[in-house]
Amino acid sequence: MTAVELLRAPLFHTPSNPFHDDRALVCHEDGGLLIRGGRIVASGDFASVRDAHPGVAVTDWRGGFVLPGFVDTHVHFPQLRILGGLGRTLLDWLEHVALPEEARMADVAYATGTARRFVHALGAHGTTTALVFGSHFSPATAALFEAAGDAGLRVISGLVVSDRYLRPELHQAPADAHRDSTELVRRYHGRGRLLYAVTPRFALSASEPMLEICASLLAEHDGLRVQTHINESLAEIAEVPRLFPWADDYLAVYERFGLTGARTVLAHDVHPTDSELERLASGHTSIAHCPSSNAALGNGIFPLHRHIDAGVGVALGTDVGGGTGFGMLKEGLQAHLMQRVAADGLNLDPARLCYLVTKAGAEAVGLADEIGDFQPGKAADLVYVRPPADSSLAEVLSRSQSMVESLAAIFTLAGPESVREVRVAGEVVHRVLH
Ligand SMILES: [Zn+2]
């Protein structure tokens, strides 16, 4: 890594929220991004950045585009190999596709190979930060942290804890879950770019003593995150009153145990009540919206408009393997398409898509001071997108009349073949040589 470097390329970022600010998307057609020691010193038009910092080595990336690194706020590492299980409902898919593969993570060698391929896939798609469901097995979850640490990605993950409803080999006594989680927190939380997230699989699979263990972990360690699922399918939601008769709704289960708030990301929320939306907003609990997964499992169309109107923070997640792959650009496109067919859908224009895959994710996982856009002082987490010369994206971009048009084309057509270089804190974590 060069200590001081000026990247010259068209730039996009969203320092403010485009759901509230029409001018949130910042574009520089001939942009300059000055990086020193892995941090952004300045971003803007190339000429003005260069004039303010003369003599700095320039890396010429014209011909491509630079965006902040993508943040995937919901993805399961053990499910890498079961992508593509189409045509099932959530609970059927869990039983017959997802959980058998989750059980294979008891084999440490198998889990280690999966973890390494998973982390590679994140980087190859431009994802620099991910909130990741670990495994039900402690050694497998450790393998994920090791792989992420070696690759240099920002990964927030944790042991998935459950003591009922799944398969016996995936169940763990609450005391054992506490012991194993504590050991993983001590080893990995705050090590390099790694953070720990307390991870009950979902309310159906966690007894009250297990949820109490989750609360204990939060009380015992500073800075932990929380991730779990909520309101994903109607059949799942129907089970909640049977298991938690005292709870008025799904969110109330997590609230009872102190598992909501600014450190928490809840995946899906396809079927919330108005009361739940109000409480999510007032408590600053974020939602990971996973449109590909919602469609693939037939769970419904995410009520984005209601979330935004209520003031709930929403980011995007790929939900590998219920979803359809690792690409956050593709996930953005899927979100856009679903909103097009929603009865009260929001127009997810390129500004909103850019925000959803970058800054919104940084806010959801509590890292907005560090990453998410190109404001001075932030870490230089970035993706260099440049399509292959013979691609349809290259053809479309060659006739683009504006930066916004180009960004729409990138969301529509850019896959991993267009992700040329990815950096975290200025360090190259993925590079394609051509
Ligand atoms: Zn999930």
Side-chain angles (χ1 to χ4, degrees), residues 74 76 229 268 319:
H74 186 65
H76 296 253
H229 299 89
H268 302 302
D319 197 20

Side-chain angles (χ1 to χ4, degrees), residues 111-169:
T112 301
T114 308
R116 301 218 163 256
R117 288 180 180 85
F118 173 86
V119 168
H120 174 79
L122 291 176
H125 287 78
T127 296
T128 51
T129 299
L131 179 59
V132 183
F133 262 61
S135 165
H136 288 271
F137 303 100
S138 182
T141 305
L144 172 72
F145 278 122
E146 294 290 342
D150 289 349
L153 297 187
R154 299 182 199 275
V155 162
I156 309 158
S157 188
L159 181 72
V160 184
V161 298
S162 290
D163 61 347
R164 67 182 183 195
Y165 200 84
L166 305 177
R167 301 159 66 96
E169 62 268 44

Side-chain angles (χ1 to χ4, degrees), residues 33-122:
L33 194 63
L34 186 71
I35 300 168
R36 181 187 296 132
R39 293 209 170 262
I40 293 160
V41 177
S43 63
D45 291 326
F46 172 73
S48 60
V49 176
R50 180 199 54 199
D51 291 351
H53 305 273
V56 174
V58 175
T59 300
D60 191 342
W61 273 357
R62 284 176 293 177
F65 299 83
V66 172
L67 293 99
F70 305 142
V71 182
D72 187 344
T73 61
H74 186 65
V75 56
H76 296 253
F77 111 76
Q79 298 178 12
L80 167 75
R81 292 191 177 89
I82 55 164
L83 279 160
L86 302 177
R88 293 178 184 269
T89 61
L90 171 65
L91 298 179
D92 172 57
W93 175 80
L94 269 176
E95 182 182 348
H96 295 106
V97 180
L99 297 181
E101 181 70 5
E102 295 263 2
R104 287 185 195 106
M105 297 299 143
D107 177 341
V108 181
Y110 186 78
T112 301
T114 308
R116 301 218 163 256
R117 288 180 180 85
F118 173 86
V119 168
H120 174 79
L122 291 176

Side-chain angles (χ1 to χ4, degrees), residues 87-310:
R88 293 178 184 269
T89 61
L90 171 65
L91 298 179
D92 172 57
W93 175 80
L94 269 176
E95 182 182 348
H96 295 106
V97 180
L99 297 181
E101 181 70 5
E102 295 263 2
R104 287 185 195 106
M105 297 299 143
D107 177 341
V108 181
Y110 186 78
T112 301
T114 308
R116 301 218 163 256
R117 288 180 180 85
F118 173 86
V119 168
H120 174 79
L122 291 176
H125 287 78
T127 296
T128 51
T129 299
L131 179 59
V132 183
F133 262 61
S135 165
H136 288 271
F137 303 100
S138 182
T141 305
L144 172 72
F145 278 122
E146 294 290 342
D150 289 349
L153 297 187
R154 299 182 199 275
V155 162
I156 309 158
S157 188
L159 181 72
V160 184
V161 298
S162 290
D163 61 347
R164 67 182 183 195
Y165 200 84
L166 305 177
R167 301 159 66 96
E169 62 268 44
L170 300 179
H171 296 162
Q172 196 175 22
D176 293 344
H178 184 263
R179 179 201 61 217
D180 288 356
S181 300
T182 300
E183 190 199 334
L184 288 167
V185 171
R186 292 201 173 120
R187 281 174 72 186
Y188 296 111
H189 182 56
R191 188 175 113 182
R193 298 168 189 145
L194 307 175
L195 291 169
Y196 195 87
V198 175
T199 311
R201 184 166 204 102
F202 63 159
L204 274 52
S205 73
S207 70
E208 294 186 24
M210 186 62 96
L211 294 171
E212 277 167 16
I213 288 301
C214 293
S216 301
L217 288 165
L218 289 175
E220 290 158 5
H221 307 277
D222 289 335
L224 300 188
R225 284 15 177 214
V226 179
Q227 59 178 342
T228 187
H229 299 89
I230 193 167
N231 290 328
E232 182 174 2
S233 84
L234 295 173
E236 169 212 16
I237 296 165
E239 291 286 291
V240 172
R242 187 175 67 77
L243 296 166
F244 302 93
W246 47 262
D248 287 340
D249 51 37
Y250 203 148
L251 183 63
V253 176
Y254 299 136
E255 287 173 328
R256 166 76 69 96
F257 296 94
L259 300 178
T260 55
R263 60 193 165 186
T264 298
V265 178
L266 303 176
H268 302 302
D269 209 32
V270 180
H271 305 284
T273 66
D274 289 343
S275 168
E276 286 176 310
L277 290 173
E278 276 171 33
R279 282 142 53 211
L280 289 168
S282 63
H284 305 288
T285 305
S286 296
I287 295 299
H289 168 35
C290 309
S292 295
S293 171
N294 297 160
L297 294 170
N299 288 326
I301 298 180
F302 179 70
L304 178 63
H305 210 144
R306 288 175 61 213
H307 281 77
I308 297 297
D309 282 354

